[in-house]
């Protein structure tokens, strides 16, 4: 078991002859320390690790006695911690010691159930966060409890969120489940946000292990419909109302840059003088998007409905849009069936393992491709980048880089097909 020690740092003596006193615990070679006071060098007893008390009538007696009492309380707390972890049949963690060394009262934090606190966190977030964001937080919470905790036997407690926890989490996510880095980063971000919230409420002290923050999202893959493919989908005569509604929702997003949540919640009242005035659900940024003729034609189909478009959940929209393309591909009488058979590369990064596979576009399509389709085709058609950003396109350079790369390749192809042939 690690022991707590107290020492004087004499090389930092001030003009009054006072030196800082530190409490220190060494755990697996790592020193955890904190300054607990400043005392006169001549009053420190190195062997006893205490102040030498003056006579009881000395004006500094009470102050010195209080200082020694604090050291005694830390020693007692260390013994109690050793007994506690022995009873719990576990090892002392770094977070245990940080709680102790920082002179915090660990009882409230240690006894606060991790998942009960997480449920409280979710309830609080509902007041300020979009419903889909809270839903995503809840999915992470359930993953940690019902999959990670159950699958590994590692009990999640506030005082055990150390590097050992990080090792277990990464091993389970990458080796057992093969989780994509993008989703792992989301898990870490949600967990980090929750822990900061918990610290503000005195449930927890300490940061998420740094090793978890070292995992990066993979470079964004931009898969989109070409302008020709988009118009084929937009004009195809589906017999099924279900598929026609899903197609309209997807194409409207591809003509405006809307995310699914924004298309799903669009009301007729959001449209004024053929311009959509709406706060984005995800970012709460106000956007003003002029309607082009294709978007207006779609809205005209639903003009007498409560919502501007048929409401379809995100999961069903993903399923239905795949069905749409598969129906077009299987239509032997439709000459453009080859359009959606082109193969695209789907890349997955799980830890350090990278896998790539080529699949047909009609199997790869998701609703999120509508937004990518809008941004990419707008740039190819010469739209101003700043204007696109004001309409909701990504503002961060790293998120835009992939789109710019694609449009640069398109421009090169145009040059080859025109001037290079002269």
């Amino acid at each position: 078991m690690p022991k707590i020690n107290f020492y004087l740092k004499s090389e930092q003596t001030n003009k009054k002859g006072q030196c800082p006193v530190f409490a220190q615990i060494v755990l697996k070679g790592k020193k955890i320390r904190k300054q607990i006071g400043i005392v006169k060098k001549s009053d420190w007893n190195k062997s006893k690790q205490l102040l030498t008390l003056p006579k009881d009538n000395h004006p500094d007696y009470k102050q010195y006695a209080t200082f020694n009492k604090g050291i005694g309380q830390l020693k007692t707390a260390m013994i109690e911690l050793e007994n506690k972890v022995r009873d719990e049949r576990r090892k002392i963690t770094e977070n245990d010691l940080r709680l102790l060394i920082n002179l915090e009262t660990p009882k409230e934090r240690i006894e606060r159930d991790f998942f009960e606190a997480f449920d409280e966190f979710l309830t609080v977030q509902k007041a300020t966060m979009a419903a889909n964001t809270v839903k995503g937080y809840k999915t992470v919470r359930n993953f940690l409890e019902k999959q990670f905790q159950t699958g590994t036997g590692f009990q999640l407690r506030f005082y055990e969120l150390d590097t050992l926890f990080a090792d277990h989490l990464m091993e389970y996510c990458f080796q057992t489940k093969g989780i994509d880095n993008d989703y792992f980063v989301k898990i870490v971000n949600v967990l980090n946000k929750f822990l900061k919230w918990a610290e503000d409420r005195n449930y927890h002290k300490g940061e998420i292990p740094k090793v978890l923050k070292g995992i990066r999202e993979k470079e964004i893959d931009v898969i989109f419909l070409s302008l020709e493919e988009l118009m084929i989908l937009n004009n195809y005569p589906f017999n099924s109302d279900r598929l026609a509604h899903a197609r309209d929702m997807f194409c409207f997003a591809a003509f405006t840059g809307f995310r699914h949540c924004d298309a799903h919640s669009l009301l007729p009242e959001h449209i004024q003088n053929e311009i959509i005035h709406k706060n984005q659900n995800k970012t709460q940024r106000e956007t003003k998007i002029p309607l082009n003729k294709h978007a207006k034609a779609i809205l005209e189909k639903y003009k007498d409905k409560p919502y501007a478009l048929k409401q379809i959940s995100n999961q069903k929209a993903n399923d239905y849009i795949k069905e749409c393309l598969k129906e077009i591909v299987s239509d032997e009488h439709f000459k453009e069936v080859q359009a959606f058979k082109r193969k695209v590369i789907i890349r997955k990064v799980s830890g350090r393992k990278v896998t790539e596979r080529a699949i047909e576009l009609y199997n790869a399509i998701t609703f999120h491709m509508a937004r990518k389709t809008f941004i990419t085709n707008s740039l190819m058609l010469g739209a101003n980048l700043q204007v696109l950003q004001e309409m909701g396109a990504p503002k961060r350079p790293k998120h835009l880089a992939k789109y710019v790369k694609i449009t640069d390749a398109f421009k090169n192809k145009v040059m080859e097909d025109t001037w290079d042939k002269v």
Side-chain angles (χ1 to χ4, degrees), residues 56-313:
D56 55 10
N57 61 353
H58 191 280
D60 292 333
Y61 177 86
K62 186 175 180 180
Q63 178 184 346
Y64 283 29
T66 300
F67 186 87
N68 284 350
K69 182 180 178 181
I71 290 177
Q73 288 173 338
L74 281 173
K75 291 179 179 178
T76 300
M78 189 69 201
I79 295 171
E80 290 175 348
L81 176 58
E82 290 173 357
N83 292 333
K84 179 178 175 61
V85 298
R86 190 178 294 112
D87 291 342
E88 294 176 352
R89 297 182 181 181
R90 66 179 181 86
K91 295 181 180 180
I92 287 180
T93 68
E94 184 178 332
N95 274 349
D96 289 330
L97 300 178
R98 289 194 179 281
L99 285 169
L100 187 147
I101 207 75
N102 285 330
L103 307 180
E104 302 285 356
T105 303
K107 184 177 180 181
E108 179 185 1
R109 291 175 177 168
I110 291 176
E111 292 183 354
R112 188 71 169 102
D113 181 80
F114 181 88
F115 290 106
E116 285 182 3
F118 213 127
D119 288 336
E120 182 185 346
F121 165 72
L122 294 175
T123 300
V124 171
Q125 299 310 304
K126 290 178 181 178
T128 56
M129 305 297 290
N132 282 344
T133 301
V134 177
K135 185 178 179 181
Y137 288 2
K138 186 175 182 179
T139 300
V140 170
R141 180 249 187 252
N142 291 339
F143 170 82
L144 292 172
E145 180 184 31
K146 298 177 181 178
Q147 295 190 53
F148 167 70
Q149 185 171 258
T150 302
T152 63
F154 189 97
Q155 296 298 307
L156 273 167
R157 303 182 180 94
F158 280 122
Y159 56 89
E160 290 190 352
L161 300 178
D162 53 12
T163 51
L164 181 61
F165 155 70
D167 291 342
H168 278 289
L169 183 63
M170 290 191 292
E171 181 181 3
Y172 180 76
C173 288
F174 297 140
Q175 296 185 25
T176 303
K177 302 294 288 185
I179 284 176
D180 189 276
N181 279 18
D182 290 356
Y183 188 64
F184 183 84
V185 170
K186 178 180 179 179
I187 292 172
V188 172
N189 288 342
V190 172
L191 183 58
N192 192 46
K193 184 178 179 69
F194 164 58
L195 292 181
K196 287 181 179 179
W197 175 90
E199 183 173 5
D200 290 341
R201 285 150 184 81
N202 205 35
Y203 298 159
H204 171 72
K205 180 72 175 180
E207 296 183 350
I208 195 168
K210 290 183 179 179
V211 65
L212 295 179
K213 297 180 180 180
I215 304 298
R216 295 286 183 263
E217 294 174 301
K218 69 175 182 292
E219 186 179 357
I220 184 173
D221 294 318
V222 179
I223 302 174
F224 64 99
L225 300 187
S226 68
L227 194 56
E228 178 187 6
E229 290 167 336
L230 175 59
M231 298 314 297
I232 291 172
L233 175 61
N234 187 55
N235 297 324
Y236 188 83
F238 290 105
N239 292 323
S240 165
D241 288 342
R242 173 175 60 86
L243 297 186
H245 294 326
R247 179 270 313 277
D248 288 344
M249 192 181 205
F250 180 93
C251 287
F252 181 82
F255 291 134
T256 60
F258 266 30
R259 296 179 177 88
H260 173 271
C261 56
D262 296 317
H264 187 269
S265 59
L266 184 64
L267 297 170
E269 290 76 14
H270 287 128
I271 303 166
Q272 303 172 21
N273 299 322
E274 299 187 344
I275 297 177
I276 300 174
H277 298 258
K278 192 178 189 302
N279 284 354
Q280 293 182 331
N281 286 21
K282 182 176 181 179
T283 64
Q284 289 304 305
R285 283 167 46 196
E286 183 182 7
T287 55
K288 297 179 182 179
I289 302 175
L291 292 170
N292 56 47
K293 65 179 182 180
H294 306 293
K296 285 189 284 187
I298 292 173
L299 293 178
E300 184 66 21
K301 300 178 186 180
Y302 305 92
K303 62 180 180 180
D304 297 324
K305 305 296 181 182
Y307 284 86
L309 296 162
K310 182 71 174 180
Q311 287 195 298
I312 306 172
S313 71

